[in-house]
Amino acid sequence: MRLAVLAPLLLLLAACATPALKYPVLELPSAAPLPRVVAPDRAVIGLALGGGAARGFAHIGVIKVLEDNGIHPDIVVGTSAGSFVGAFYAAGYDSAQLLALADEMKEDQLRDIVWPDRGFVRGYRLQDFINKRLHDRSIEELPIRFGAVVTDLHSGAITVLTRGNVGMAVRASSAIPGIFEPVDIDGHEYVDGGLVSPVPVRSVREMGADVVIAVDIAKRPQDTKVIATTTEVIVQALGIMINNLSNRETRAADIVVHPDTAGLASVSFATRKQAIAEGEAAAEAVIGRLKALIARVTAQKRSSEQQPEPGSSGGPSLPR
């Protein structure tokens, strides 16, 4: 009797499963140590793009405002949805190209449903979507320094992937536990970086940024909503956890951009245009402070470079 009831459901799941696809073999991503980004006569600008599933379209609005004001980050590190947008931006996509990409994207281009095996989505379609559009370039070949934050499923350690296969790195960073299958990279299993670093401010700072711009797109827990079901309890609890982690990280940022994501969809692209608009509005609200900060840090660095070293005659200094 139980089998008779389950059989139609199992057949339906099997019918929905995406056929297996073959992808080119590229160098596995890795967390190779890299030299810090250095610019002696100007502020090194870093952009930390947080996770938030489909709310990640808000990152495009933020990037548009930065670009419109002549601000071009030297370092981009992303978590989950932030790694997706960040990879394209680091690869040279300007705001117009990002907007066009957002407009043409369809959800089924990124989701390959599989028979549940520690997840319902394998993530190969997401990986392939990125690699094809970036012409199979590796992370280190991108014109802007880029990193994708992932979580080691076994140790819980944070890892920032800075070399190798861009699509696989983003796939691992976006592998929401229970939805996406964990991603095996050289014997380690990785899942969504948002478990340990929802807004990767510290990672950007460690790469050499003088000014860190954090974009936090996480939904804030709602204290006025009635929490009536088991699912709602779980969602609220996860929201509280991620919000606390985000707050800890963003305290170390110089500028924090908070798009209003309360009414935005998390699992569909239905509100993508609204998300982009919210990103623009939030960035416009802080752009004056950001420009002043960049100018101040740049002036300080230039002044420091012009100061003669102790015991010198004040003439031109030798290269160091």
Side-chain angles (χ1 to χ4, degrees):
M1 180 66 179
R2 190 172 296 174
L3 285 174
V5 173
L6 289 175
L9 177 59
L10 296 176
L11 288 172
L12 178 61
L13 283 172
C16 292
T18 306
L21 300 172
K22 292 184 178 180
Y23 298 87
V25 177
L26 303 174
E27 180 188 351
L28 292 176
S30 64
L34 298 173
R36 289 167 59 88
V37 176
V38 177
D41 62 346
R42 64 175 179 81
V44 175
I45 302 170
L47 186 60
L49 301 178
R55 300 189 300 276
F57 287 106
H59 291 313
I60 298 175
V62 174
I63 289 170
K64 181 179 184 302
V65 172
L66 295 179
E67 188 176 273
D68 289 346
N69 285 272
I71 298 171
H72 303 284
D74 304 283
I75 303 164
V76 180
V77 180
T79 291
S80 198
S83 73
F84 181 91
V85 175
F88 281 96
Y89 183 58
Y93 275 58
D94 61 20
S95 60
Q97 291 170 308
L98 288 172
L99 288 167
L101 180 69
D103 192 53
E104 74 180 40
M105 280 171 52
K106 296 178 175 58
E107 293 165 49
D108 60 4
Q109 290 177 296
L110 307 181
R111 295 177 185 167
D112 41 1
I113 308 299
V114 296
W115 186 265
D117 179 15
R118 302 200 298 164
F120 294 87
V121 180
R122 180 161 289 154
Y124 285 173
R125 282 191 182 276
L126 170 65
Q127 177 177 319
D128 190 53
F129 182 90
I130 295 167
N131 285 336
K132 280 185 176 179
R133 282 156 182 76
L134 301 188
H135 308 292
D136 291 331
R137 282 179 289 172
S138 60
I139 295 175
E140 63 271 25
E141 293 176 309
L142 304 183
I144 297 174
R145 176 72 64 83
F146 173 69
V149 176
V150 297
T151 303
D152 188 306
L153 180 60
H154 296 270
S155 70
I158 179 175
T159 299
V160 184
L161 301 174
T162 55
R163 294 184 66 86
N165 188 323
V166 180
M168 182 177 279
V170 173
R171 172 186 158 209
S173 182
S174 306
I176 302 169
I179 305 297
F180 281 76
E181 292 181 349
V183 180
D184 188 309
I185 301 174
D186 199 24
H188 291 266
E189 289 190 304
Y190 295 106
V191 292
D192 195 321
L195 296 179
V196 289
S197 183
V199 189
V201 172
R202 289 171 295 176
S203 300
V204 173
R205 187 78 72 187
E206 288 168 2
M207 288 189 183
D210 300 311
V211 175
V212 178
I213 307 160
V215 186
D216 184 359
I217 58 172
K219 280 189 176 181
R220 297 290 177 267
Q222 301 297 305
D223 59 4
T224 58
K225 180 183 175 183
V226 176
I227 303 172
T229 68
T230 301
T231 300
E232 289 173 349
V233 170
I234 293 171
V235 169
Q236 181 77 353
L238 288 173
I240 292 170
M241 180 189 73
I242 292 171
N243 188 51
N244 285 336
L245 285 172
S246 297
N247 287 341
R248 290 180 190 177
E249 288 221 86
T250 54
R251 281 197 290 268
D254 298 291
I255 297 290
V256 184
V257 185
H258 280 295
D260 184 357
T261 60
L264 303 181
S266 298
V267 295
S268 80
F269 294 172
T271 57
R272 72 182 98 187
K273 290 185 178 179
Q274 184 183 348
I276 293 169
E278 293 293 350
E280 287 190 59
E284 288 287 1
V286 302
I287 197 65
R289 287 195 294 118
L290 175 58
K291 291 168 76 172
L293 175 61
I294 292 171
R296 185 165 66 251
V297 173
T298 296
Q300 289 170 350
K301 292 183 78 171
R302 289 177 177 172
S303 175
S304 176
E305 281 292 305
Q306 292 170 1
Q307 292 294 326
E309 294 184 4
S312 73
S313 62
S317 59
L318 295 174
R320 293 192 290 261

